[in-house]
Amino acid sequence: MSTTADAVTFSDLSRNPKSVAERASRLGRLRVTHRDAPDFYLTAADREEQRDETLTTASRIFLALMKHDPSARALLLAMPDVFPWVRHLSTEEVRAFTVELVDALSDAAELDLDTNAQEVIIGWRATARIKADRAQYEEALRPTSGDFGSVEVTP
């Protein structure tokens, strides 16, 4: 078996499934590395269900805060601590980011749409990155015309 305490190779899983399953059960979660494919985690179902419940609870708290405080003041005040780059966004943009993120977290918790929250963060971080560089921001504001071809997206 692999020497890393919280990881095994796919070959280890294939050769010793019972031992790997026992280890995953003991640890709660075990990373399975694969040379030709993305790694994955072997997780006890009850632990994953607890994680889902935790995400759902956190999401509902954020939604309740926004419902009872339409300005989302507490959340808006916390955003720079969580995402320091929001200092490059306007107040309205931070508010829009906050609402979008809470909605995406709700979708993750209630609908198992896990990628949306990261997409929201990546999109707003890209906006902040452009706004942080005055030359890039001025270039982004210039009118354009025509087709510039395909766009490469980087995480």
Side-chain angles (χ1 to χ4, degrees):
M1 288 202 143
S2 305
T3 57
T4 306
D6 60 350
V8 296
T9 65
F10 189 78
S11 298
D12 292 336
L13 177 60
S14 298
R15 285 191 303 263
N16 304 307
K18 184 176 179 184
S19 173
V20 169
E22 288 170 356
R23 188 166 167 193
S25 179
R26 186 174 65 253
L27 293 173
R29 181 167 105 156
L30 185 64
R31 186 180 196 122
V32 180
T33 61
H34 195 287
R35 202 175 16 172
D36 301 324
D39 294 354
F40 64 92
Y41 283 100
L42 186 58
T43 305
D46 62 341
R47 179 180 169 138
E48 195 61 28
E49 290 163 0
Q50 288 173 347
R51 291 172 74 106
D52 287 346
E53 282 298 314
T54 300
L55 177 59
T56 299
T57 301
S59 168
R60 288 178 178 166
I61 288 170
F62 292 140
L63 285 171
L65 281 171
M66 290 185 74
K67 178 181 175 186
H68 295 290
D69 178 11
S71 68
R73 182 167 159 63
L75 291 174
L76 290 172
L77 290 173
M79 292 302 275
D81 291 335
V82 180
F83 305 103
W85 44 262
V86 300
R87 71 183 179 279
H88 299 290
L89 303 175
S90 71
T91 303
E92 282 308 310
E93 289 170 327
V94 174
R95 184 181 313 315
F97 169 45
T98 303
V99 170
E100 246 184 276
L101 182 57
V102 169
D103 286 344
L105 291 172
S106 176
D107 289 346
E110 304 291 343
L111 304 172
D112 288 328
L113 294 173
D114 295 327
T115 59
N116 290 0
Q118 288 307 309
E119 288 175 4
V120 168
I121 293 167
I122 289 167
W124 280 104
R125 185 174 42 221
T127 300
R129 184 179 299 123
I130 289 171
K131 291 185 86 172
D133 182 326
R134 183 172 300 280
Q136 249 189 341
Y137 186 54
E138 288 173 5
E139 177 69 24
L141 292 175
R142 286 194 194 113
T144 61
S145 63
D147 183 356
F148 294 96
S150 61
V151 176
E152 289 185 40
V153 178
T154 58

